[in-house]
Amino acid sequence: DGGITQSPKYLFRKEGQNVTLSCEQNLNHDAMYWYRQDPGQGLRLIYYSQIVNDFQKGDIAEGYSVSREKKESFPLTVTSAQKNPTAFYLCASSIGGPNSPLHFGNGTRLTVT
Amino acid sequence: GENVEQHPSTLSVQEGDSAVIKCTYSDSASNYFPWYKQELGKRPQLIIDIRSNVGEKKDQRIAVTLNKTAKHFSLHITETQPEDSAVYFCAALTERDDKIIFGKGTRLHILP
């Protein structure tokens, strides 16, 4: 099913390298989000953007960066400054702000060795 | 910071029985409480949500109740079926930061 596409599904990187995760949506949603999912930790917000060319830090933004140059795209860069980057990353969008349902992508599992 | 506590972390129920998952939140101004279901290997999907102007909402076998005074809300699944096996996440919208905070999730096992 369409809506939000994350690529790739699996990503492997060496420690010290930056890596960019892709997130594209065709739902015409204004708001987009990046979450990190670790076992037993729930979903923790990394960054979010409510409008093009604007974004805010979430609860665990250190070591990550984003851009929102187009409404449909919200890429996440995991930098070498992120101390524990191996995780499952989920992108989401919503039609309004956070008080409307989130539509999630299928996620990217990043492994850094 | 604002917090959402979810219990239990794991729940096993016999097929056909009911399951209840409970969450508490810290921001008394929170006004939106969604529940997401994540099946193994799949994306989380919204199954039901409730806003602070109602105390209960039902959708077939799923219901959510909200007690604003006690700052807790619960998910009730009746007549459980094998396809209900999944991880369920509660969440609350914090008024202060205008962000959704998730609980840590409940892994629900439906036993045959």
Side-chain angles (χ1 to χ4, degrees), chain A residues 14-49:
Chain A
K14 294 289 187 188
E15 198 173 313
Q17 292 179 332
N18 291 354
V19 60
T20 297
L21 282 59
S22 168
C23 178
E24 303 278 329
Q25 55 103 355
N26 61 5
L27 299 169
N28 200 33
H29 287 174
D30 286 315
M32 297 187 75
Y33 311 81
W34 274 105
Y35 287 91
R36 171 178 171 143
Q37 185 173 23
D38 296 285
Q41 291 295 316
L43 301 169
R44 293 183 290 168
L45 183 64
I46 305 172
Y47 266 98
Y48 63 108
S49 167

Side-chain angles (χ1 to χ4, degrees), chain A residues 1-2 4 35 37 40-43 45 48 50 58-59 88 90 98-102 104-106, chain B residues 31-32 36 38 41-46 49 51 87 89 93 97-105:
Chain A
D1 49 328
I4 299 188
Y35 287 91
Q37 185 173 23
Q41 291 295 316
L43 301 169
L45 183 64
Y48 63 108
Q50 304 228 32
D59 301 313
F88 187 58
L90 282 161
N99 63 350
S100 53
L102 296 174
F104 286 91
N106 281 325
Chain B
N31 57 19
Y32 177 59
Y36 290 85
Q38 187 177 29
K42 296 193 174 179
R43 69 183 81 186
Q45 292 194 298
L46 179 80
D49 57 9
R51 299 187 189 271
V87 178
F89 294 98
L93 174 64
D97 303 320
D98 203 24
K99 292 187 299 190
I100 285 283
I101 303 292
F102 282 85
K104 292 189 176 181

Side-chain angles (χ1 to χ4, degrees), chain A residues 3-92:
Chain A
I4 299 188
T5 303
Q6 288 187 245
S7 59
K9 189 172 182 178
Y10 299 97
L11 193 51
F12 298 88
R13 279 295 181 270
K14 294 289 187 188
E15 198 173 313
Q17 292 179 332
N18 291 354
V19 60
T20 297
L21 282 59
S22 168
C23 178
E24 303 278 329
Q25 55 103 355
N26 61 5
L27 299 169
N28 200 33
H29 287 174
D30 286 315
M32 297 187 75
Y33 311 81
W34 274 105
Y35 287 91
R36 171 178 171 143
Q37 185 173 23
D38 296 285
Q41 291 295 316
L43 301 169
R44 293 183 290 168
L45 183 64
I46 305 172
Y47 266 98
Y48 63 108
S49 167
Q50 304 228 32
I51 197 167
V52 174
N53 292 323
D54 189 39
F55 48 83
Q56 288 78 40
K57 291 182 179 180
D59 301 313
I60 55 166
E62 186 175 345
Y64 299 98
S65 66
V66 293
S67 63
R68 187 84 187 278
E69 296 176 4
K70 298 187 295 182
K71 187 176 186 177
E72 55 270 22
S73 178
F74 192 40
L76 173 74
T77 296
V78 185
T79 75
S80 56
Q82 167 51 231
K83 298 202 185 321
N84 187 18
T86 294
F88 187 58
Y89 291 88
L90 282 161
C91 180

Side-chain angles (χ1 to χ4, degrees), chain B residues 61-79:
Chain B
R61 296 186 296 109
I62 293 172
V64 57
T65 58
L66 172 64
N67 183 329
K68 287 214 72 181
T69 304
K71 291 191 288 185
H72 69 69
F73 56 114
S74 300
L75 179 72
H76 305 254
I77 306 174
T78 58
E79 300 171 21

